[in-house]
Amino acid sequence: QVQLIQSGAEVKKPGASVKVSCKVSGHTLTELSMHWVRQAPGKGLEWMGGFDPENGETIYAQKFQGRVTMTEDTSTETAYMDLRSLRSEDTAVYYCATRRDVLTGFFLDAFDTWGQGTVVTVSS
Amino acid sequence: DIQLTQSPSSVSASVGDRVIITCRASQAFSSGVPLAWYQQKAGKAPKLLIYHASSLQGGVPSRFSGGGSGTNFTLTISSLQPEDFATYSCQQANSFPRGFTFGPGTKVDIK
């Protein structure tokens, strides 16, 4: 069974950066297609980017291009999302989520397993 | 990019009711039906219910079903249970440019 455990809540000032981690257990990180999704208070879900196994590269939503970097550390089976130049509108819960269906082994065009979420608050 | 809208934005229903939520895409998908549905309870991560518009994810009760084609898709809860009060969101996958988009969500609460 795949489990994703995320790092704890963060409070940052405008202009700062935040790095959220997502540790994988029960599966190999590089075989999961890890993505990041955020949810501002009272708002809907917003996809930020992730690893696309179809073309073998990390893809980012245009809205976050140049401001976000997603990486994977295979030695610790941990994925990271680094968001820079934070502003108040970045206050949200950030989730890691994977596209691999752990029951069938196929990649879905959806997100099967989710982390518990990391609250990031941006405030002066 | 394909945009998603959902209706209604909220619905009040009773246990045992049949609930239908609609998700409309701004254009038809170029290939397949990469449309998924999620359930999200307050303070929790989303849970995948349906993928490929109508495939039930493992472990999801059979009272949940998905349907539709083209640009109009539905999530049906055949007999609402107390644990089903939550927010439901649809999600689609773009082929070009590659990416994912979520609908705004539909809140199902107790009547």
Side-chain angles (χ1 to χ4, degrees):
Chain A
Q1 181 183 357
V2 179
Q3 283 195 309
L4 308 178
I5 304 298
Q6 298 185 224
S7 49
E10 302 264 12
V11 179
K12 296 291 182 181
K13 293 194 182 302
S17 299
V18 68
K19 193 167 188 176
V20 180
S21 68
C22 173
K23 184 168 177 58
V24 175
S25 63
H27 211 286
T28 302
L29 170 58
T30 55
E31 296 178 354
L32 289 173
S33 180
M34 185 69 74
H35 289 249
W36 293 86
V37 176
R38 77 177 187 179
Q39 188 169 36
K43 303 294 186 183
L45 299 161
E46 181 175 33
W47 175 77
M48 299 179 68
F51 184 77
D52 191 23
E54 284 79 3
N55 60 26
E57 63 183 24
T58 300
I59 55 176
Y60 300 112
Q62 187 169 6
K63 175 177 179 177
F64 300 101
Q65 288 272 4
R67 205 162 67 94
V68 70
T69 303
M70 296 170 187
T71 57
E72 297 179 354
D73 183 340
T74 56
S75 68
T76 60
E77 296 290 318
T78 302
Y80 296 92
M81 186 283 298
D82 188 354
L83 186 62
R84 302 174 290 278
S85 302
L86 291 169
R87 33 213 188 225
S88 59
E89 310 89 88
D90 294 318
T91 293
V93 179
Y94 289 76
Y95 294 100
C96 56
T98 68
R99 286 183 53 203
R100 173 83 77 173
D101 183 334
V102 296
L103 292 179
T104 66
F106 294 117
F107 285 116
L108 303 174
D109 276 333
F111 304 105
D112 187 26
T113 304
W114 294 67
Q116 83 277 19
T118 296
V119 176
V120 175
T121 303
V122 182
S123 174
S124 54
Chain B
D1 290 3
I2 296 176
Q3 305 301 315
L4 299 177
T5 56
Q6 288 183 233
S7 59
S9 56
S10 65
V11 57
S12 295
S14 301
V15 172
D17 283 354
R18 181 183 184 91
V19 174
I20 300 175
I21 299 169
T22 297
C23 179
R24 185 163 289 116
S26 57
Q27 61 190 77
F29 301 114
S30 56
S31 63
V33 276
L35 195 288
W37 289 96
Y38 298 85
Q39 176 193 69
Q40 187 176 22
K41 297 182 180 179
K44 300 295 186 182
K47 174 186 176 183
L48 178 64
L49 301 175
I50 302 281
Y51 63 93
H52 291 171
S54 60
S55 296
L56 195 67
Q57 180 60 328
V60 175
S62 59
R63 63 180 180 274
F64 292 94
S65 64
S69 62
T71 59
N72 293 302
F73 299 89
T74 57
L75 172 70
T76 300
I77 310 172
S78 60
S79 178
L80 200 65
Q81 299 301 300
E83 61 269 29
D84 299 338
F85 292 97
T87 296
Y88 294 86
S89 300
C90 56
Q91 170 252 306
Q92 64 87 23
N94 277 330
S95 294
F96 302 104
R98 189 71 174 138
F100 301 83
T101 307
F102 290 88
T106 294
K107 185 176 181 180
V108 177
D109 59 24
I110 301 171
K111 194 172 187 178

